[in-house]
Amino acid sequence: RAPTQPRHKSRHGKVSPTHDMAGADGAAEGTPDATYAALEGPRTFTSAPEVRSSVLSHSKSHPRMLESNATSHVWPLGALAELLDNAQDQECGATRVDVDAFELSPGKMALSVQDDGIGMGRPNLHSMLSFGFSSKEHVSGNVGRFGIGFKSGSMRIAHDALILTRREGQASAALLSTTFLNAISADDILIPMFTWATTPKAAGGHTYVAQEPSNTGEWEENMSVIEQYTFLGSEKAVLAELNKITTPTGTRIVLFNLKDPPEFDFSVKNDVRMLAMDLEGEVLRSSSRRPVYQQHRAGQQMTLDVPEDYSLRAYMEVLYLRPTVTFSLRGELIAPRCPLERLALEYYKFEDYTPMGLPDERKAPIVVHCGYQEEKSKHCGFHIYNKNRLIRMYQRFGAQLQANAMMKDMLGVVEADCLEPTHNKQAFNTTDIAYQKCQKHLEKSMNDYYFGVQNLRLAGIGAGGKRRTLAPKGGTSKKGKDAKCKGKGLKGKGKGKNDDGLGESDDDDAWVAKRAKLSANGKQKTVDFFPRILRRCMSHKNSWAFNEPVDAEYWGVLDYYEIIKTPMDFSTMVTKLDNGEYKTEGSAHGPRKFVTDARQVFYNAWTYNTPGHQVYDFAQEVGRIFEQEIAKAVGPEDVWGLKQGNILAMCGPAPAKEKDGALVLGDAEMKNEPGALVVDQEAIAAMVETRVAHVVATANAQRDEALGKLQDERAAREAFEAEMESMLAESLRAAREEEKGRYAKLESEKDTLLSALSDSSEMKKMYQEKVKALEVELKALKERGQVVS
C-alpha cells in the first residue's frame, strides 16, 4: 500500500466534507503472466471492502471558490434575496424577518438580516457554511435546492459575513470572511466558530457558558480572528451582538465590508436602493428620462422605470406571491403587493396545465393568470413564480417581443412550480423540456385571451370606457363542464353566448342582423354599423399602428405630440363607442363624429410620416377599407352625409385586380379594349373637395395661430407699458421726496448760519467798546506820567 499524504489539521472549522475516492494503487507482484491470469480469473469477496477516511485524500475548497461562486449573481438585490429565502423557508419556522442597514464607522455601512425562527445548532450552522448541503430540494414550502444560496448571496454583497444564531439551550457564532482568508493566504476555507450553552435569566436575557471549542488555546485563537477581522473587539462585544436577537430563538446575519465600488444608496431612510455606477465611479444615467437602474429584458425600452429593479422595498413587496412571514426594512413594515391584485380588469385564470413526462417529484400544474391594470401603464409581461418565489419579472412572450402595439399592456402571473430555476434564482433552465412546453402554453393562452377580449370590446358590449371585468380580484374562472371557454381564454369564436345573447360569430352581416333583431325586441337602445366597421379596420394585418395610442418614447418619436395636436386611435374610438358618444338617435352629430375621428387617425399618420413610409402606406390601405365600408353601410341615400369629405383621394389608387378579363383599379375600370376608360367623376370631385378642404383648414389654422401670436404680443406690450408707467411714477415720487428733503436741509443750514452771524456782530460790538475803554484808560495814565516803559 502506498503511503498516505499527511492531512492538514486546523483548529478552525472545515467547509469541505467531501473526499476524493482515488485510493493508492497497489504494487503488483509476480510475473506479468501471473498478473494477467489473476485479473482474468473470477474474483470473490466475502464482504464489501471497507473504506477508511484516514486512507483517502481530502478535497479542499480554495477561498477563490467563494468569489467565483458569487459571480452567479449579477444583480445585487437578487443576491440579498437569497438570505430572505432562508428565513422564508418552512424549516426555519420564522414569523418575522427584519432587514436593516447601519453605519459601523463614517462611510462604512453594514447590512443585517434577522429572523425569529428556531435557530441553528452547531452541526446545522456548519452545514449552512459548507457547499452542497441542502435538505430542501422538492420540499413543499421551500425554494432552496443547491445548498449554495447563502455563500453566493452574502459574498456577492460583502467581503465578510458574521452569523449569530440561538436556539433552545445553545447559541453559536461563525465568521465567513474572505478578508481573513486572503490575509493569511489560506488554501482552504477556514471558519472561526464558537458555541455557548445558554440558560434564560428570570429578569430577561441569557447566560452564556463557553462550550466549543473546549480547548482554551483553540478558543483564544478563534476569538483573535474575530477581534482582528470584524467590528467586534472582544467576546463581550460578540455576546452583545448576539443579544440583539430579542426573541428566545432566532438568527442574525451581518454583512460588512461591502463590495467596492459602492452599489447601494442608503440615503432613503426606509429603503435600500441601487446606484448605477461604472468602473470609474461615474453615474451611468445619461438622461433625466432614464431610470436609476434597469435590468435587461427582451423587448423593454430603456426609458421604462421599473422600481423593483433598484428599490429593495419595491422588490420585497412582490418577492413572494403569498408571503408566510412578515418582513420589515429599516424599521418599517413591508406591505406586500400581490401581483394578482393588479389584474383587476378583464381578469381571467386559465385551467391548470401539467406538462407530460416530468418526474413525480416535479409534477405540479402551471397556472396562468391574465388581466390589465386599471391605471394606464407601460409595463407589460408576466411575473413567473416558482414555489411562491419570484424568479422572472415582466417577462415578455410572443407578440410582446415584436414591433407592434399588440399585447403591450397585458400583464400576467404564472405559477410554475415544475420548472427548474438557475442557481441565482433569477432565470429558468431554458433547455429544459418543461420550460419549452410552458412557454408554448403561455403564448397560446396570451393569444386566446387577447383576441377573446378584443371580440368582446368590438361587439359593442364594453364596460363603459373601462375594460370588461370577467372575474373578481383574486378569483378564478368557472371550470369543468359548465365552463364557457374551457381554459382557452375568451376566444371561443362562435361557441358561446354573451350577456346580451349574441354569439361571437365572424359573420359580420349575421351579427348586424342579430343586433337589429334585438333592437326590434327592445333589448338594445341603438342599432348601428360602427362596431362592425371598427372590427373590420382593427382586424386588418396592417392596422396595428392605429389600434392603440402612439407611445412616443417607445417608438422614439418624441416630437409626435408637438406636431399632432389632435391624436386619435381605434381603441379610443372603441371607448367612445362604449360611452355612447356615437349615438344615432335623432341626430347626425354622432355618426359624423365617428367618421371624423376615424379620418383623423389617418390624417395624423399622413401628417407625421412622409410618403413611402410604411405607416403612411398602412394608413392609405386601411383608410381605403374604411371608406368602402362606410359607403356600403350608408348606401346611395347617405342620410347623414357621411361620404362627404372622404379620404379616398389621399388613399391613392387601390391595388390592381383582374376581374372578368378587365383590370379593376380602384373606382376606375380599364378593359382590354383601347380607349375604354371609365373614370368615376364623383371620386375626382371628392378628391378635389378633400384637398381644398384640407388646404382651407391648414390656412385657417395658420391664420388662427398668427392671430393668437399677435394677441399675445399685444398683451405683452400692454403689460410692458403699464410696468414702465408704474416705474416712472415711482421714480418721480422718489425724486420729489428727495428734493423736499434737500430743501429742508438747506433751510436748516441757512438758519444756523444767520444765527451764527448775529452772534458774531454782537461780540464785535462788545470788543470794540472794550478797546475804546482801554484806550481811554491808557490815555489817562499817560497824561499822569505813570506809564512805565
Side-chain angles (χ1 to χ4, degrees):
R1 187 180 66 182
T4 58
Q5 297 180 354
R7 302 179 64 202
H8 172 71
K9 294 184 180 180
S10 171
R11 296 185 179 94
H12 305 293
K14 286 284 189 170
V15 173
S16 303
T18 59
H19 294 80
D20 187 358
M21 297 303 296
D25 297 332
E29 296 181 357
T31 62
D33 295 337
T35 303
Y36 294 144
L39 292 175
E40 294 174 355
R43 303 179 64 188
T44 59
F45 297 95
T46 58
S47 62
E50 181 182 358
V51 178
R52 290 179 295 171
S53 60
S54 60
V55 177
L56 306 179
S57 298
H58 179 73
S59 175
K60 299 187 294 185
S61 295
H62 197 276
R64 283 195 296 268
M65 180 65 180
L66 294 173
E67 299 177 1
S68 60
N69 185 46
T71 57
S72 63
H73 288 284
V74 179
W75 184 41
L77 296 187
L80 189 57
E82 292 279 10
L83 278 65
L84 304 180
D85 291 339
N86 291 337
Q88 165 81 11
D89 284 341
Q90 189 175 11
E91 63 181 13
C92 176
T95 61
R96 182 184 175 98
V97 179
D98 300 313
V99 183
D100 200 2
F102 56 94
E103 191 174 28
L104 295 176
S105 60
K108 294 290 184 180
M109 298 295 295
L111 291 168
S112 67
V113 179
Q114 181 172 320
D115 64 67
D116 61 351
I118 61 175
M120 293 181 287
R122 186 181 180 91
N124 301 107
L125 179 58
H126 189 270
S127 296
M128 187 189 79
L129 295 172
S130 303
F131 285 93
F133 279 87
S134 177
S135 59
K136 308 177 185 178
E137 185 174 8
H138 306 305
V139 176
S140 177
N142 292 343
V143 69
R145 176 185 177 191
F146 300 103
I148 60 173
F150 170 77
K151 279 77 66 178
S152 63
S154 60
M155 294 296 101
R156 168 63 180 84
I157 298 172
H159 293 286
D160 307 308
L162 179 66
I163 306 96
L164 307 114
T165 182
R166 183 172 64 225
R167 64 183 311 168
E168 294 183 1
Q170 191 180 85
S172 299
L175 174 66
L176 181 62
S177 171
T178 58
T179 304
F180 159 62
L181 297 174
N182 293 333
I184 65 174
S185 300
D187 61 351
D188 201 358
I189 300 178
L190 307 176
I191 306 292
M193 188 182 302
F194 310 89
T195 302
W196 297 268
T198 64
T199 54
K201 296 180 180 178
H206 293 78
T207 301
Y208 298 90
V209 178
Q211 193 175 51
E212 290 188 48
S214 57
N215 184 283
T216 305
E218 294 181 6
W219 181 282
E220 295 297 335
E221 184 177 352
N222 280 264
M223 186 57 68
S224 66
V225 176
I226 298 293
E227 295 173 355
Q228 184 175 357
Y229 294 99
T230 70
F231 56 94
L232 305 174
S234 62
E235 181 181 356
K236 182 178 180 181
V238 175
L239 296 178
E241 190 72 18
L242 191 57
N243 281 330
K244 291 183 179 180
I245 304 176
T246 57
T247 53
T249 60
T251 301
R252 176 178 174 83
I253 299 172
V254 181
L255 305 179
F256 58 100
N257 288 338
L258 303 182
K259 292 291 183 72
D260 288 324
E263 297 178 296
F264 295 109
D265 177 14
F266 300 99
S267 60
V268 181
K269 293 183 178 180
N270 66 341
D271 199 1
V272 176
R273 296 189 175 180
M274 291 289 303
L275 288 174
M277 309 292 287
D278 61 11
L279 296 178
E280 286 76 23
E282 298 294 333
V283 179
L284 290 176
R285 192 174 183 183
S286 59
S287 69
S288 60
R289 295 187 299 108
R290 187 170 180 175
V292 174
Y293 183 91
Q294 184 190 71
Q295 293 194 88
H296 171 73
R297 298 181 183 89
Q300 177 177 280
Q301 56 266 44
M302 296 178 63
T303 57
L304 184 62
D305 183 57
V306 183
E308 292 86 351
D309 283 347
Y310 57 83
S311 169
L312 179 59
R313 175 169 292 276
Y315 182 49
M316 292 176 64
E317 289 173 351
V318 298
L319 182 58
Y320 302 102
L321 185 61
R322 300 174 183 90
T324 59
V325 302
T326 301
F327 290 95
S328 72
L329 177 59
R330 305 189 75 173
E332 185 175 324
L333 290 177
I334 297 291
R337 289 186 289 116
C338 180
L340 294 176
E341 295 181 357
R342 297 187 308 168
L343 314 180
L345 298 179
E346 293 173 341
Y347 169 82
Y348 189 81
K349 175 185 175 184
F350 287 85
E351 286 189 344
D352 295 352
Y353 166 72
T354 304
M356 301 294 292
L358 295 179
D360 292 339
E361 62 271 11
R362 286 181 55 191
K363 282 186 178 179
I366 295 175
V367 185
V368 179
H369 310 260
C370 291
Y372 296 92
Q373 288 189 160
E374 290 184 353
E375 65 275 7
K376 186 67 175 177
S377 174
K378 294 181 180 179
H379 293 156
C380 79
F382 288 79
H383 282 21
I384 308 180
Y385 287 82
N386 178 266
K387 296 182 180 180
N388 199 38
R389 163 67 145 83
L390 179 63
I391 305 297
R392 294 293 296 166
M393 285 189 298
Y394 299 113
Q395 174 107 16
R396 304 188 183 200
F397 296 93
Q400 293 179 335
L401 297 172
Q402 300 173 5
N404 56 44
M406 288 178 58
M407 309 184 192
K408 282 298 188 289
D409 55 348
M410 181 191 299
L411 294 170
V413 176
V414 181
E415 301 177 62
D417 292 352
C418 64
L419 301 185
E420 290 285 348
T422 55
H423 290 186
N424 60 6
K425 300 176 188 173
Q426 297 300 313
F428 289 100
N429 179 13
T430 57
T431 61
D432 186 15
I433 188 65
Y435 181 84
Q436 298 172 12
K437 291 182 177 180
C438 174
Q439 181 176 352
K440 185 176 180 180
H441 169 69
L442 185 55
E443 291 176 353
K444 181 180 181 299
S445 300
M446 292 170 61
N447 292 331
D448 290 346
Y449 176 80
Y450 179 78
F451 290 108
V453 170
Q454 288 293 93
N455 287 339
L456 288 179
R457 295 180 191 171
L458 298 178
I461 54 174
K466 291 186 177 181
R467 298 185 177 92
R468 183 176 174 83
T469 304
L470 300 179
K473 294 182 180 180
T476 60
S477 63
K478 187 181 290 185
K479 297 182 180 180
K481 296 182 179 180
D482 296 332
K484 294 181 181 179
C485 299
K486 296 186 178 180
K488 294 185 178 181
L490 305 176
K491 195 172 184 179
K493 293 183 177 179
K495 294 182 180 180
K497 295 284 185 178
N498 293 322
D499 294 339
D500 59 355
L502 292 178
E504 295 176 9
S505 172
D506 288 338
D507 188 349
D508 291 340
D509 295 333
W511 182 84
V512 174
K514 289 182 180 181
R515 297 276 293 191
K517 183 178 179 180
L518 289 177
S519 178
N521 294 334
K523 295 183 179 180
Q524 297 287 337
K525 294 182 179 181
T526 62
V527 179
D528 51 60
F529 42 81
F530 300 152
R532 182 185 65 184
I533 295 177
L534 271 179
R535 187 193 311 185
R536 176 79 172 86
C537 293
M538 294 182 72
S539 61
H540 192 273
K541 64 179 181 179
N542 293 332
S543 69
W544 57 266
F546 318 115
N547 288 345
E548 299 288 342
V550 174
D551 189 337
E553 291 187 3
Y554 181 82
W555 294 109
V557 289
L558 302 181
D559 59 344
Y560 181 83
Y561 290 103
E562 297 177 3
I563 298 175
I564 302 302
K565 302 300 183 182
T566 311
M568 184 56 61
D569 60 274
F570 289 150
S571 64
T572 302
M573 293 181 64
V574 171
T575 302
K576 288 186 174 183
L577 183 64
D578 289 343
N579 291 337
E581 297 184 27
Y582 301 139
K583 289 182 179 180
T584 59
E585 293 93 339
S587 173
H589 177 72
R592 289 178 180 174
K593 187 175 182 181
F594 174 81
V595 296
T596 300
D597 286 347
R599 288 166 181 163
Q600 186 66 47
V601 174
F602 308 119
Y603 276 128
N604 291 344
W606 295 326
T607 301
Y608 189 81
N609 302 283
T610 58
H613 192 279
Q614 64 171 353
V615 177
Y616 191 98
D617 298 339
F618 290 167
Q620 289 182 319
E621 188 173 355
V622 181
R624 189 183 307 110
I625 294 174
F626 173 77
E627 293 297 347
Q628 291 172 356
E629 292 295 326
I630 285 290
K632 280 196 302 183
V634 300
E637 295 85 3
D638 191 13
V639 179
W640 295 314
L642 302 186
K643 291 193 290 186
Q644 297 179 6
N646 64 69
I647 57 174
L648 286 174
M650 296 292 295
C651 294
K657 296 183 294 183
E658 187 173 348
K659 181 179 179 182
D660 299 333
L663 271 179
V664 179
L665 185 63
D667 295 326
E669 182 178 308
M670 292 190 300
K671 295 185 178 180
N672 294 334
E673 301 175 3
L677 177 63
V678 180
V679 180
D680 189 349
Q681 299 296 331
E682 293 182 359
I684 295 177
M687 182 186 304
V688 174
E689 181 181 354
T690 302
R691 297 291 292 181
V692 171
H694 184 66
V695 171
V696 171
T698 303
N700 289 338
Q702 293 176 351
R703 180 200 61 192
D704 295 339
E705 183 179 2
L707 182 59
K709 289 182 178 179
L710 289 175
Q711 291 176 349
D712 293 341
E713 291 176 358
R714 179 183 300 171
R717 185 174 61 253
E718 292 176 353
F720 177 76
E721 292 175 354
E723 184 179 0
M724 292 301 297
E725 291 178 356
S726 176
M727 292 176 60
L728 181 60
E730 181 66 21
S731 300
L732 292 175
R733 186 189 64 79
R736 189 178 298 110
E737 293 295 332
E738 184 179 359
E739 291 295 331
K740 288 182 179 179
R742 290 178 61 188
Y743 181 80
K745 183 178 180 181
L746 292 174
E747 287 289 337
S748 176
E749 291 178 353
K750 183 188 70 174
D751 294 339
T752 301
L753 292 174
L754 290 176
S755 176
L757 181 61
S758 175
D759 293 341
S760 61
S761 299
E762 293 178 356
M763 291 292 293
K764 181 180 179 180
K765 185 177 181 181
M766 182 182 65
Y767 287 136
Q768 288 176 351
E769 291 177 353
K770 191 173 182 179
V771 168
K772 290 180 179 180
L774 291 174
E775 290 177 351
V776 171
E777 186 175 357
L778 288 173
K779 185 178 180 180
L781 292 174
K782 190 176 181 179
E783 290 176 352
R784 294 175 185 173
Q786 297 177 355
V787 179
V788 179
S789 301

